[in-house]
Amino acid sequence: MTRKQKSVSRFFTLTASMAAALLACAGHAQAQNQMEVAQIVPLSGPLASVGKEINSITQATIAAFNKTGGTQIVLKTYDDGNVADRSTQLATQATAHAQALISCFGSVGCMAQQKVSATAGVPLIGPIAGAAPLRGKAAALTYAVRASATSEVGRLLNFADTTGLNAVAVLVQDDGFGRSYAAEIDKLAPDHAKLKITRAMFNPASADYGKALAELTAASPNVLLLLANSAHSTGFLNAWKNKQPLPFVLNLAGQANSQFAAGMKGFVGTAAFATVTPSPWEQKLPVQRDYQSVAKAAGLQPSYLGFEAYLNARALTEAVKHAKSTTKGDLARWLDSTPGIDLGGYRLSYSGEKLGSNFTDLSVLLPDGSYRH
């Protein structure tokens, strides 16, 4: 090889080395500018439609955030089928790389994921459940966004108290969900001495409401409070209507959905719901308009569930933006140290009691199947 050929060879070798180094640096910079976040929700089974809606709006909210530049959030999605053991297994797998968990659904999945979150030191943001163990100082790495079950039930009991609907029949779904909400009524009842509360339970594994129906109608209530899922709520109301006219109906935020509305379309009477978000359809607040814009871009219709998942995702993106870090520890430190987070008229706080938001409202189901605040 001539001297000239050796020089050319050295030049190309050096150029290739420099290119490889630049590519390595670029790859490292890109990795440093990314954060993996995991979402574990039911994408199969009876709650598949719920999990898919949560996941769709989460993806759309993160996609909108990623377009603004800065840290890019990579969302990894897992299907737990609403099975606790599966949720635990997937959370353990996910937290090996994920820096946060976002929007688990229901007490079954959220309680399982909370345990893994605490062990792995990974923040769990926005559990879509009102259970007391998912909020407060004892829930060190759980950052609830929605109001607690206490606030939700309190809103319904206050409504009954102030409107004179003092004979309250309470239907309780006999499982962890129903019993946890019934415990909130026990806790709050001393503050509502005027209310005469009659309670009956039913087995959610069957649609036999006979015993509960007999017990509650015998009390001649003027208001019926349902602590049951959408399918059983509508089933029980139809059984009641076949026996006698319905009283005023109160229901939880989780049942203010299209399934319940479809089941009660044409319903003659009044049903009101506690909600943990503002109206998904109004445009009074910036956060309402922002949510509707993201939902429209994703081809989704506004809903209470979608709005709640959006608020959770916004809490995550605010933390990522302001923490200026891609580590789980810095995310948690920013959330813990920030006295208030304003998402556009919907405010959160994790300092002090670490309760997220105490926002609750009431919504009425109209005969055409629409909800109005």
Side-chain angles (χ1 to χ4, degrees), residues 14-373:
L14 181 60
T15 302
S17 298
M18 290 176 64
L22 288 170
L23 285 172
C25 288
H28 179 69
Q30 185 180 31
Q32 289 289 94
N33 205 35
Q34 286 187 347
M35 170 181 288
E36 184 175 315
V37 171
Q39 182 166 80
I40 305 166
V41 288
L43 300 175
S44 59
L47 294 174
S49 61
V50 170
K52 289 174 182 177
E53 182 174 2
I54 293 168
N55 186 240
S56 294
I57 197 66
T58 304
Q59 287 184 11
T61 308
I62 288 174
F65 171 77
N66 285 344
K67 289 178 182 178
T68 65
T71 298
Q72 300 292 287
I73 300 173
V74 178
L75 182 68
K76 297 291 182 71
T77 304
Y78 304 84
D79 172 23
D80 68 356
N82 197 42
V83 176
D85 289 346
R86 179 69 176 152
S87 201
T88 297
Q89 177 188 350
L90 290 171
T92 303
Q93 175 185 333
T95 52
H97 301 286
Q99 302 303 305
L101 299 172
I102 180 73
S103 285
C104 55
F105 179 76
S107 297
V108 170
C110 290
M111 297 297 286
Q113 291 178 47
Q114 183 186 46
K115 292 179 182 178
V116 177
S117 159
T119 301
V122 173
L124 170 61
I125 298 174
I128 301 180
L134 294 168
R135 46 196 31 85
K137 291 180 179 179
L141 280 169
T142 303
Y143 299 89
V145 172
R146 65 175 287 167
S148 66
T150 304
S151 297
E152 192 179 349
V153 171
R155 166 71 78 160
L156 296 174
L157 293 181
N158 285 338
F159 176 82
D161 217 346
T162 56
T163 55
L165 298 170
N166 58 352
V168 183
V170 182
L171 177 71
V172 181
Q173 186 167 301
D174 192 7
D175 59 11
F177 163 73
R179 289 192 296 271
S180 67
Y181 274 96
E184 297 298 336
I185 290 180
D186 293 339
K187 186 193 303 180
L188 295 169
D191 297 328
H192 299 277
K194 294 179 182 178
L195 298 182
K196 181 183 177 182
I197 299 174
T198 303
R199 184 161 61 188
M201 305 184 83
F202 74 95
N203 180 2
S206 71
D208 183 3
Y209 310 116
K211 184 173 182 293
L213 183 62
E215 292 174 0
L216 295 181
T217 54
S220 301
N222 51 22
V223 62
L224 170 62
L225 172 54
L226 299 169
L227 306 181
N229 65 26
S230 295
H232 284 300
S233 290
T234 53
F236 185 79
L237 291 179
N238 285 324
W240 189 301
K241 283 192 299 180
N242 290 334
K243 186 171 183 177
Q244 64 182 56
L246 280 165
F248 197 103
V249 176
L250 293 175
N251 212 329
L252 301 170
Q255 308 339 316
N257 55 40
S258 57
Q259 180 185 1
F260 186 90
M264 297 309 297
K265 198 164 186 178
F267 163 62
V268 178
T270 307
F273 295 75
T275 74
V276 292
T277 73
S279 167
W281 302 281
E282 293 178 359
Q283 296 190 327
K284 296 176 182 177
L285 301 174
V287 71
Q288 291 170 310
R289 299 191 291 272
D290 293 343
Y291 161 63
Q292 290 166 22
S293 176
V294 170
K296 183 178 180 180
L300 299 170
Q301 293 297 317
S303 71
Y304 292 108
L305 176 64
F307 199 179
E308 185 174 349
Y310 170 78
L311 292 169
N312 295 344
R314 279 289 309 278
L316 166 69
T317 59
E318 287 297 301
V320 171
K321 179 171 67 176
H322 292 289
K324 297 179 180 178
S325 170
T326 59
T327 70
K328 57 192 179 185
D330 286 339
L331 273 185
R333 277 187 285 275
W334 184 83
L335 288 165
D336 288 335
S337 64
T338 302
I341 304 168
D342 188 351
L343 301 181
Y346 189 95
R347 294 173 177 82
L348 311 172
S349 177
Y350 298 108
S351 59
E353 291 301 310
K354 198 170 171 285
L355 294 176
S357 172
N358 278 324
F359 178 92
T360 59
D361 199 357
L362 279 175
S363 174
V364 175
L365 176 63
L366 302 181
D368 66 358
S370 64
Y371 292 94
R372 291 291 181 272
H373 285 248

